[in-house]
Amino acid sequence: MKKKDLKHIAALLFAGISTLSCTLDEPLITSADRKTVFGSETGIQSYSYSLYSALPSLDDVFYLESSHVDYCASNSYYDFYVDGTYNPEHATSWSWGGLRRINYFLDALQSEDCTVSEDVKEHYIALGKWFRAWFYFSKLRDYGGVPWFEHLVSSTDEATLYKPRDSRDVIVDHMIQDLDYCYEHLKTVSSVGNSLVSKYAALLLKARICLYEASWKKYHNLPDEIYTANDLYAMAVKTADIIMKSNMFSIHTAAGTKGAYRSLWYDESINTDEVILGLCTDQEYGVYNSANRHFYASAGNGDCMSRAFVFTYLNTDGTPFTNKTNYSTTLFKDEFSGRDLRLRQTLKNPDFTMTGATDLELAPDIIHQYAVTGYQIIKFCLDDVKYNKESKGINSMPLMRYAEVLLIYAEAKAELDGADAEIGPFTDADWAKTIGKLRSRAGITGGINSKPTVIDPYMQTVFYPNVTNPVIMEIRRERSIELFFEGFRLSDLERWAEGHLIEDLPWTGIHIPDLDTAVDIRGKGKEEAYFSLKPLAEIPGAHKDFYVQIYPEDSTEQGLRAKPNPAGGYDLEFVYAVPRIWHDDDRQYLSPIPPQVIREYAAKGYTLTQNPGWE
């Protein structure tokens, strides 16, 4: 595969070019064209590029969790989780055009129009099956069971077009079969920037799906059909283990100037030692990202971390930060000291520097509401203000990486913990080669070689009250920190049956010593914020430029509250205009099938069932 071909894929993904339809029966290309395209490897390869438009683009990566998760505040929030604002009639995601393109590709490869050699044919069939599994995994997360379509559907075949939903197990079984074929027949092992789907991307997607469905079965008490939860946990362990034993990937530890963790998102080139599938920028082709504009300017959503989650980052000796006396009154300038290095590589910190920045720009931007909690995300951004106003970020982005493999292995084996005789119990050695390895990169020295034996009461009280196993608890902590804002959090809450955190976890912010006093947030001898309940007109002139409005506790306004801390000072909290809600019937674990689609089925004499709570 030539570099120019990969640049073509990158440009396609960035521009969002897609010819995908929302239907199953729209014509694609003519029969004559099909013979031309599928009669040569060059034609097939060119067509295969269109499949990559199903992946997130460079600008999608940092939007995957925006306004959808518990541990980040946002200036606007997805109405699916806001009280009284969501109407199922507005649902529009029941789209099958992407699958039609994939199945067209697969059917054409297995037709008489395809005259390439068998091994070339099998390679591209494997690629098509990977994208079909990717497509269906998204549908499974959204809706649960959906109709499985193995082939292109004729517009005259109503019985197939309007087929009922297949069960979750049937969908999972088909995805596993597709990905097994992909691993066996896909030739690609690596590529420039690992921008192409490889055999290892097939293994990782399979492991991801197996872990997801295993925990969904366990924590949602689903009946067994084809698989038990333990079957799927075991498959996740074995699949992750193949990647681990391949020695193709490792945890990226080259520190660079931004730290080993942050460099995965900071560098212009993909770090292929860890990244299994990446999205590449290319200045020659004008392929950039707009991460700086999202997190540092008004173009974004104000996404910022909640202090409730900041507290989960460990001390470097491996002990919980929340074990410290009066941890809740620790000032921002001291919060990063002696902590997991990922905290300062994920958020603006007291020592953060940025080319061309003023003192106020170096501080967390609470003033302009780019980070209302004071915990401003830098993980995906470049440290130069010139990128804040233009969507020309030159840093590439990981999409699938080896760290997730280690986390899947650890969680699945810990959940089994001896239930599968072949796999055996979760051991200290398992801990050391997975969670220990990730924490070691983060500068943590304590507890990296042996699994924990005591549960953290803060994690249990604030996040997961039903978890009593300290190993499971710590794996959840590690997964949430390591994969922060990469698009996993919502699906994790859903599969663990912890959706209530969407409503329950407070969007807390930094601790401040007092109101109506200029605050030196970073501890650099600079006045950087003036928090007050008073209106701007009453603020002393010298402080107006960095005034931050605080609203009374009983206010209905969206914005910050300052809650007195029993140990002194105030804790900021961002309150959204309308309460976030998680319905008591748990309907939000699945999206509603658009009622119009159900009515269309009924008009044709067929039945499509709705998800619970949305009837």
Side-chain angles (χ1 to χ4, degrees):
M1 181 63 64
K2 298 178 181 178
K3 187 175 181 181
K4 67 181 179 68
D5 295 324
L6 298 181
K7 288 181 176 180
H8 175 77
I9 294 173
L12 175 71
L13 294 177
F14 181 78
I17 297 171
S18 175
T19 56
L20 305 184
S21 162
C22 63
T23 68
L24 280 164
D25 59 352
E26 180 184 344
L28 287 169
I29 59 177
T30 68
S31 177
D33 289 335
R34 193 170 86 160
K35 290 180 180 180
T36 301
V37 171
F38 291 91
S40 70
E41 182 174 1
T42 301
I44 295 170
Q45 183 186 74
S46 295
Y47 187 98
S48 73
Y49 292 157
S50 68
L51 303 181
Y52 283 83
S53 61
L55 298 178
S57 72
L58 281 162
D59 272 351
D60 290 332
V61 171
F62 47 85
Y63 270 100
L64 294 173
E65 293 188 3
S66 180
S67 78
H68 285 74
V69 292
D70 61 325
Y71 58 18
C72 280
S74 297
N75 288 327
S76 62
Y77 209 61
Y78 181 35
D79 60 6
F80 193 65
Y81 304 108
V82 177
D83 192 13
T85 63
Y86 184 77
N87 184 343
E89 291 288 350
H90 299 159
T92 59
S93 61
W94 188 261
S95 175
W96 296 88
L99 178 64
R100 174 168 173 77
R101 174 164 291 277
I102 294 163
N103 278 346
Y104 175 88
F105 181 71
L106 290 169
D107 286 354
L109 287 168
Q110 298 171 83
S111 73
E112 61 183 15
D113 294 327
C114 185
T115 55
V116 298
S117 64
E118 195 64 25
D119 63 330
V120 170
K121 185 184 300 185
E122 288 175 344
H123 166 77
Y124 284 102
I125 289 173
L127 181 64
K129 286 178 179 285
W130 189 93
F131 279 102
R132 185 162 65 187
W134 180 273
F135 174 90
Y136 265 106
F137 187 36
S138 176
K139 282 287 184 277
L140 180 76
R141 293 196 307 268
D142 284 346
Y143 300 109
V146 291
W148 177 271
F149 297 101
E150 184 75 16
H151 298 284
L152 204 62
V153 182
S154 167
S155 59
T156 61
D157 184 3
E158 281 197 357
T160 303
L161 279 173
Y162 293 97
K163 68 175 294 191
R165 301 166 70 175
D166 288 297
S167 69
R168 296 181 68 104
D169 268 29
V170 166
I171 300 301
V172 169
D173 188 49
H174 279 301
M175 289 190 292
I176 289 171
Q177 290 180 43
D178 275 356
L179 292 168
D180 284 344
Y181 183 97
C182 187
Y183 177 64
E184 290 297 325
H185 296 283
L186 193 65
K187 294 179 182 179
T188 307
V189 174
S190 62
S191 57
V192 177
N194 280 349
S195 296
L196 294 179
V197 170
S198 68
K199 298 170 78 74
Y200 297 101
L203 288 173
L204 178 46
L205 183 54
K206 177 183 174 182
R208 183 187 290 182
I209 290 168
C210 288
L211 178 69
Y212 178 88
E213 192 62 11
S215 46
W216 191 285
K217 274 182 172 286
K218 176 177 179 177
Y219 291 104
H220 291 265
N221 299 310
L222 294 188
D224 300 328
E225 184 181 337
I226 300 174
Y227 301 104
T228 67
N230 284 352
D231 290 337
L232 293 165
Y233 278 131
M235 206 177 301
V237 172
K238 292 175 181 178
T239 305
D241 193 47
I242 295 172
I243 304 175
M244 294 162 69
K245 288 178 176 175
S246 74
N247 295 319
M248 284 290 297
F249 303 96
S250 60
I251 293 302
H252 180 70
T253 56
T257 58
K258 301 302 173 185
Y261 178 73
R262 191 180 174 206
S263 66
L264 289 164
W265 293 270
Y266 197 90
D267 294 349
E268 186 174 356
S269 298
I270 288 289
N271 290 286
T272 54
D273 52 350
E274 178 169 341
V275 179
I276 296 173
L277 183 61
L279 301 173
C280 300
T281 57
D282 193 290
Q283 296 185 66
E284 179 183 349
Y285 280 74
V287 181
Y288 303 106
N289 72 69
S290 60
N292 277 59
R293 289 192 69 206
H294 180 78
F295 292 106
Y296 296 163
S298 58
N301 197 32
D303 297 312
C304 53
M305 193 183 289
S306 168
R307 198 182 197 209
F309 188 70
V310 171
F311 285 156
T312 69
Y313 285 73
L314 298 171
N315 299 315
T316 52
D317 64 3
T319 60
F321 176 71
T322 49
N323 283 1
K324 291 187 174 183
T325 303
N326 292 332
Y327 69 89
S328 68
T329 57
T330 304
L331 297 176
F332 180 87
K333 66 183 182 68
D334 301 315
E335 281 189 289
F336 296 79
S337 178
R339 301 282 293 280
D340 181 329
L341 293 177
R342 287 170 296 189
L343 184 59
R344 65 172 51 247
Q345 292 176 40
T346 301
L347 303 174
K348 272 190 181 182
N349 58 79
D351 301 315
F352 175 75
T353 59
M354 192 175 198
T355 302
T358 64
D359 286 328
L360 284 181
E361 287 173 321
L362 294 176
D365 200 333
I366 308 175
I367 300 168
H368 300 103
Q369 298 191 9
Y370 301 158
V372 288
T373 64
Y375 297 107
Q376 191 163 3
I377 298 169
I378 63 171
K379 176 174 174 176
F380 306 93
C381 302
L382 295 173
D383 296 344
D384 192 320
V385 295
K386 70 181 181 182
Y387 297 109
N388 295 359
K389 296 180 181 179
E390 296 184 10
S391 300
K392 290 189 176 181
I394 61 174
N395 47 321
S396 295
M397 301 280 178
L399 193 57
M400 303 178 86
R401 57 191 183 95
Y402 185 62
E404 185 194 352
V405 176
L406 300 185
L407 290 163
I408 290 172
Y409 182 93
E411 183 179 346
K413 192 166 185 181
E415 289 281 9
L416 282 171
D417 201 21
D420 187 294
E422 180 184 355
I423 291 175
F426 187 84
T427 65
D428 285 344
D430 293 321
W431 177 269
K433 71 182 182 183
T434 57
I435 308 304
K437 190 174 290 291
L438 293 171
R439 290 186 175 178
S440 180
R441 171 170 66 181
I444 296 173
T445 57
I448 60 175
N449 293 316
S450 58
K451 60 186 182 182
T453 57
V454 178
I455 204 153
D456 179 1
Y458 175 82
M459 291 292 294
Q460 193 172 52
T461 300
V462 177
F463 287 91
Y464 314 114
N466 296 321
V467 175
T468 57
N469 183 327
V471 175
I472 297 295
M473 184 68 81
E474 289 305 310
I475 290 172
R476 289 192 182 186
R477 182 206 301 268
E478 186 63 23
R479 182 177 174 88
S480 303
I481 289 172
E482 176 66 29
L483 300 178
F484 174 77
F485 224 66
E486 293 179 47
F488 295 94
R489 182 60 175 177
L490 181 58
S491 62
D492 284 347
L493 294 180
E494 290 171 344
R495 67 188 178 87
W496 293 332
E498 300 286 1
H500 64 91
L501 285 168
I502 294 288
E503 177 180 350
D504 296 343
L505 195 68
W507 285 349
T508 45
I510 64 173
H511 179 78
I512 59 175
D514 210 343
L515 295 174
D516 298 311
T517 301
V519 177
D520 174 10
I521 297 176
R522 294 179 299 139
K524 303 297 182 183
K526 308 286 185 178
E527 295 182 342
E528 294 165 335
Y530 188 92
F531 300 94
S532 180
L533 287 159
K534 299 175 183 176
L536 178 61
E538 297 180 21
I539 303 302
H543 299 144
K544 288 183 185 292
D545 288 344
F546 46 87
Y547 158 76
V548 179
Q549 174 73 66
I550 301 294
Y551 293 97
E553 188 64 31
D554 59 356
S555 174
T556 59
E557 294 289 334
Q558 176 169 306
L560 286 171
R561 310 294 189 266
K563 299 192 173 184
N565 188 303
Y570 295 86
D571 300 324
L572 298 183
E573 182 174 342
F574 181 69
V575 176
Y576 195 63
V578 184
R580 292 172 286 150
I581 188 169
W582 186 264
H583 292 288
D584 292 339
D585 60 7
D586 288 336
R587 72 186 72 167
Q588 291 148 294
Y589 281 124
L590 295 172
S591 297
I593 294 173
Q596 178 59 32
V597 175
I598 294 175
R599 291 192 289 267
E600 289 174 6
Y601 263 68
K604 294 287 186 178
Y606 299 94
T607 300
L608 186 66
T609 58
Q610 181 60 280
N611 281 322
W614 299 109
E615 297 89 347

